[in-house]
C-alpha cells in the first residue's frame, strides 16, 4: 500500500486527573456509585486521565470537534492544503451534521472531502483506513484521519441526573433507574477525553521516520453476538435493542442516552473473539508470525484484560514478549476511538523506533464485537 503516516499528533485537554480528584470533575457520587467506582478503579489500572471539563465550574472546555481540530493542528499541515479529512468518534457533539463536517468547520481552510465514521473504538481506525485507501489509490494527494472522544459529558453527575426518571417510592426504594445501573456506572470510571490525528501521504517524509501502512483489517462479529456496549438505546431481556426514538415516543427517558456496558457479556466473550475469531483471520490472511513483530500496541479498556489476552495469544501459538507490548492506558486513560492514535503518537515520539521495526496494532470494540488489526513498518 503506497500510504505512509508522515506525522502523528495527540491532544489531551487540561491537566492529568488522578483517581482521588474524580469527584471534582465528574461530581460527587452516592454510596452505591462510590463502591462501584472503587471496584472498577482497582481493576482497570488507570492512574491518570484527561477531561475537557473545568473543575471549578463543571463547564466543558472543548467540544469533540474542537478536540479533533486541535489534534489536526498538531500535524503541521496548513488547513488549505488538506485534501481529505476523515474523522471517527463514538461521541459526536450532535446527531447531525456529521462529525467530520464540524471538525472541518473548526479548522477552516479550503474545500476538501470530509468523511465521518461512526461506531465506538473502531471508528477511529475505520477513518484511518478510508484515508489510507484514498491516498494509496491516488484519489487524493494527502489525507488526515482522526479519532476523538468527549466522554466526560456522558460521565458527569449532572448528565446522569437529567437523563434519569427515578422510580416512585411505592415501586421500591431499592430499585434504581437504568441511568444509575451498574452497566452505566461501569463505564463512568473507564472513559475519558482526548484526540489523535495522523497525516497520510503517498511517500515517506524526507529526513525523518515515517510509518508505512502495510494493511488494515476490520472485522465485525455481529452476526453471532448480541450488543454489548451501547447508548441511545435500552437492551431488552432477549438481547435486542429499543432505540431512543421509539423510547421517547412512549414518553419515557429512563437513562436512554447514558452509555452502558453489558459487563458479563464483555468478560465472557471479548478475549475469545479477539484472538480465536478475529486475529486468526488476519493472521492467516497475512501469514503473520510473532517473530516479525517488534512492537505490539493493544487497545484494551482495562488492565484486567492484559494477562488473559497475553495467555490467549500464547495458547494460539503467537507469543509476543511482554517487553514488546506498549500501552499508555495507565497515564492517558481509555479514550475510545482516540486511544490507538494517542498510543502510536507516544511510541513514535519516544525515540525507541528504528528503521524496519514492525508495529502490530489491535483495536477492538465491544459495541457488537468488532476488531481492527493493522501492521505498520518504520521507514
Amino acid at each position: 500500500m503506497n500510504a505512509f503516516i508522515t506525522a502523528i499528533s495527540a491532544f489531551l485537554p487540561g491537566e492529568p486527573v488522578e483517581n482521588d480528584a474524580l469527584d471534582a470533575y465528574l461530581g460527587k457520587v452516592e454510596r452505591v456509585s462510590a463502591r462501584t467506582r472503587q471496584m472498577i478503579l482497582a481493576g482497570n489500572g488507570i492512574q491518570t486521565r484527561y477531561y475537557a471539563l473545568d473543575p471549578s465550574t463543571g463547564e466543558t472546555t472543548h467540544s469533540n470537534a474542537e478536540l479533533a481540530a486541535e489534534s489536526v493542528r498538531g500535524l503541521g499541515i496548513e488547513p488549505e492544503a488538506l485534501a481529505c479529512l476523515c474523522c471517527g468518534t463514538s461521541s459526536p457533539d450532535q446527531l447531525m451534521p456529521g462529525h467530520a463536517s464540524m471538525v472541518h468547520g473548526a479548522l477552516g481552510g479550503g474545500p476538501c472531502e470530509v468523511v465521518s465514521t461512526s461506531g465506538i473504538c473502531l471508528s477511529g481506525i475505520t477513518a484511518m483506513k478510508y484515508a489510507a485507501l484514498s491516498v494509496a489509490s491516488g484519489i487524493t494527494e494527502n489525507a488526515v484521519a482522526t479519532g476523538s472522544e468527549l466522554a466526560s459529558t456522558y460521565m458527569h453527575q449532572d448528565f446522569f441526573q437529567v437523563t434519569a426518571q427515578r422510580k416512585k417510592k411505592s415501586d421500591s426504594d431499592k430499585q434504581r433507574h437504568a441511568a444509575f445501573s451498574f452497566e452505566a456506572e461501569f463505564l463512568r470510571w473507564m472513559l475519558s477525553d482526548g484526540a489523535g490525528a495522523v497525516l497520510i501521504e503517498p511517500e515517506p517524509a524526507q529526513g525523518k521516520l515515517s510509518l508505512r501502512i502495510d494493511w488494515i483489517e476490520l472485522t465485525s462479529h455481529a452476526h453471532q453476538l448480541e450488543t454489548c456496549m451501547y447508548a441511545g438505546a435500552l437492551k431488552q431481556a432477549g438481547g435486542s435493542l429499543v432505540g431512543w426514538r421509539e423510547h421517547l415516543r412512549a414518553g419515557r427517558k429512563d437513562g436512554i442516552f447514558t452509555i452502558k456496558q453489558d459487563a458479563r457479556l464483555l468478560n465472557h466473550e471479548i478475549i475469545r473473539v479477539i484472538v480465536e475469531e478475529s486475529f486468526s483471520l488476519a493472521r492467516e490472511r497475512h501469514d503473520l508470525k510473532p517473530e516479525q513483530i517488534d512492537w505490539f500496541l493493544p487497545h484494551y479498556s482495562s488492565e484486567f484484560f492484559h494477562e488473559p489476552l497475553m495467555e490467549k495469544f500464547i495458547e494460539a501459538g503467537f507469543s509476543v514478549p511482554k517487553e514488546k507490548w506498549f500501552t499508555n492506558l495507565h497515564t492517558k486513560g481509555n479514550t475510545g476511538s482516540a486511544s490507538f492514535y494517542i498510543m502510536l503518537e507516544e511510541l513514535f515520539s519516544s525515540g525507541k523506533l528504528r528503521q524496519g521495526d514492525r508495529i502490530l496494532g489491535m483495536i477492538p470494540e465491544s459495541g457488537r464485537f468488532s476488531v481492527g488489526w493493522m501492521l505498520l513498518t518504520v521507514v
Side-chain angles (χ1 to χ4, degrees):
M1 183 184 291
N2 293 322
F4 298 83
I5 296 174
T6 58
I8 312 175
S9 172
F11 179 75
L12 294 157
E15 299 296 324
V17 179
E18 298 183 354
N19 290 341
D20 59 6
L22 290 175
D23 282 358
Y25 285 85
L26 301 184
K28 293 190 179 297
V29 298
E30 57 186 56
R31 186 171 54 188
V32 175
S33 296
R35 289 200 299 268
T36 302
R37 178 179 65 188
Q38 184 178 11
M39 179 179 66
I40 298 304
L41 291 177
N44 67 20
I46 300 172
Q47 299 301 315
T48 57
R49 78 284 288 150
Y50 294 77
Y51 295 126
L53 292 172
D54 183 334
S56 62
T57 65
E59 297 296 320
T60 55
T61 60
H62 301 76
S63 67
N64 190 327
E66 288 168 343
L67 291 173
E70 287 293 343
S71 70
V72 175
R73 293 185 184 105
L75 296 172
I77 183 172
E78 294 297 328
E80 293 80 6
L82 185 56
C84 181
L85 176 65
C86 308
C87 301
T89 187
S90 60
S91 56
D93 299 309
Q94 65 290 310
L95 294 176
M96 299 182 232
H99 177 57
S101 294
M102 303 305 290
V103 178
H104 185 210
L107 284 170
C112 70
E113 179 181 5
V114 297
V115 176
S116 303
T117 57
S118 61
I120 308 179
C121 299
L122 211 56
S123 62
I125 300 305
T126 305
M128 192 185 296
K129 183 168 185 177
Y130 186 101
L133 292 174
S134 181
V135 170
S137 65
I139 294 174
T140 57
E141 62 186 15
N142 65 57
V144 164
T146 73
S148 60
E149 300 294 354
L150 182 64
S152 58
T153 49
Y154 281 109
M155 307 296 117
H156 199 279
Q157 182 71 3
D158 289 348
F159 183 84
F160 273 59
Q161 296 286 1
V162 168
T163 58
Q165 286 180 340
R166 293 285 193 164
K167 299 289 183 180
K168 294 179 180 178
K169 289 185 178 180
S170 57
D171 290 339
S172 172
D173 286 337
K174 295 181 180 180
Q175 192 172 16
R176 298 204 311 152
H177 187 275
F180 293 87
S181 66
F182 178 79
E183 288 79 4
E185 293 280 4
F186 175 81
L187 290 170
R188 229 179 141 192
W189 315 115
M190 302 281 280
L191 304 175
S192 53
D193 303 339
V198 296
L199 172 61
I200 301 176
E201 298 182 281
E203 299 289 341
Q206 294 297 313
K208 61 179 182 178
L209 295 181
S210 297
L211 301 176
R212 184 180 70 227
I213 302 175
D214 295 321
W215 49 261
I216 301 176
E217 295 281 355
L218 309 175
T219 307
S220 165
H221 302 277
H223 63 294
Q224 60 185 359
L225 290 164
E226 66 187 52
T227 305
C228 183
M229 182 178 173
Y230 51 99
L234 287 183
K235 190 172 182 179
Q236 307 303 293
S240 63
L241 294 186
V242 174
W244 63 273
R245 285 176 292 185
E246 290 301 309
H247 203 70
L248 294 180
R249 282 181 64 201
R252 300 171 61 193
K253 292 183 181 178
D254 292 358
I256 193 73
F257 286 109
T258 53
I259 306 175
K260 304 172 193 70
Q261 177 88 69
D262 187 334
R264 290 184 180 180
L265 182 61
L266 177 72
N267 293 343
H268 188 263
E269 297 288 355
I270 191 63
I271 301 299
R272 181 191 67 80
V273 169
I274 288 173
V275 182
E276 294 181 10
E277 298 284 345
S278 180
F279 180 66
S280 61
L281 296 174
R283 181 184 186 182
E284 181 178 358
R285 187 170 297 168
H286 298 284
D287 192 26
L288 204 57
K289 297 177 175 58
E291 59 269 20
Q292 298 173 324
I293 307 305
D294 298 289
W295 296 96
F296 180 40
L297 271 60
H299 165 54
Y300 46 79
S301 61
S302 171
E303 185 66 24
F304 175 82
F305 294 115
H306 184 190
E307 290 299 327
L309 187 62
M310 183 176 287
E311 291 171 5
K312 201 68 172 178
F313 274 116
I314 292 172
E315 287 178 17
F318 199 90
S319 178
V320 177
K322 196 169 184 177
E323 60 270 18
K324 294 185 177 183
W325 290 51
F326 184 89
T327 179
N328 54 17
L329 172 71
H330 312 94
T331 56
K332 304 297 173 60
N334 175 11
T335 51
S337 66
S339 288
F340 184 75
Y341 288 82
I342 293 170
M343 267 196 295
L344 188 62
E345 188 280 331
E346 185 168 321
L347 178 61
F348 190 77
S349 303
S350 68
K352 297 178 180 179
L353 294 179
R354 298 292 179 266
Q355 185 169 334
D357 282 359
R358 290 186 173 181
I359 303 167
L360 178 65
M362 179 198 87
I363 308 95
E365 73 172 32
S366 60
R368 194 145 179 184
F369 296 99
S370 297
V371 188
W373 300 92
M374 69 185 305
L375 187 69
L376 306 170
T377 300
V378 180
V379 296

